[in-house]
Amino acid sequence: MYRDILLAVDLDDEASWREALPACVEYARAFGSVLHVMTVVPAMGTGFVGSFFPADFERKAMEAARQRLHAFVRAQVAPGIPVQHVVAHGSVYKEVLRVSEEIACDLIVVAASGPDLGTFLLGPNAARIVRHATRSVLVVRNRDEGGGAAAV
């Protein structure tokens, strides 16, 4: 049913994948899917804020994110699951939507917590992804914050 599954993670926030990753692995096993694990490096801008960063900052940040994502997948995804690593740059929800179209995924998976947590892939980003996606979206709530997985 799901040939390509896109999982968006924040490598600095375990809550963004703690419950969602096992669900993705289970789906990938069941359906023989490719798991596309994605992280987004936020844009620092080219205006006033961007002027405080070295010229090669974004290139170095992207390379560091790529290395961290590969290490994350090696540590967290069971062998035998085909994985594609995706590192994007820009707005989280826009990049998740762009990549979902680019790879023609069948399912986008994001984690969501209660509205009091304002972390990277939670709250507004998950809501925007759900609202604007042209693909099915699975929002996985962390169990310790109430609720379970909810297909959206």
Side-chain angles (χ1 to χ4, degrees):
M1 181 170 193
Y2 300 116
R3 189 185 61 225
D4 291 279
I5 301 170
L6 176 62
L7 171 65
V9 300
D10 178 349
L11 296 171
D12 293 321
D13 182 8
E14 184 180 338
S16 76
W17 57 265
R18 181 179 56 237
E19 303 287 341
L21 180 61
C24 287
V25 168
E26 186 177 328
Y27 278 27
R29 276 197 184 114
F31 298 114
S33 310
V34 174
L35 178 57
H36 301 264
V37 182
M38 172 182 192
T39 194
V40 180
V41 175
M44 296 301 158
T46 56
F48 181 71
V49 173
S51 69
F52 288 98
F53 293 94
D56 62 346
F57 175 79
E58 288 182 342
R59 182 189 58 76
K60 287 181 177 179
M62 292 290 288
E63 178 57 25
R66 187 191 67 73
Q67 291 176 10
R68 287 185 64 204
L69 184 60
H70 279 262
F72 169 80
V73 167
R74 277 192 305 274
Q76 300 297 330
V77 178
I81 302 294
V83 176
Q84 175 70 42
H85 305 79
V86 181
V87 177
H89 178 256
S91 162
V92 173
Y93 82 93
K94 287 179 182 178
E95 287 304 304
V96 170
L97 295 173
R98 180 188 65 76
V99 169
S100 74
E101 294 293 325
E102 186 176 291
I103 65 172
C105 71
D106 306 296
L107 180 66
I108 302 168
V109 179
V110 294
S113 292
D116 57 325
L117 294 177
T119 53
F120 196 60
L121 276 173
L122 310 176
N125 286 311
R128 287 179 179 133
I129 291 166
V130 169
R131 191 168 36 251
H132 297 289
T134 60
R135 316 284 179 190
S136 294
V137 179
L138 174 68
V139 178
V140 181
R141 286 214 178 270
N142 291 322
R143 292 181 190 175
D144 58 344
E145 296 174 22
V152 180

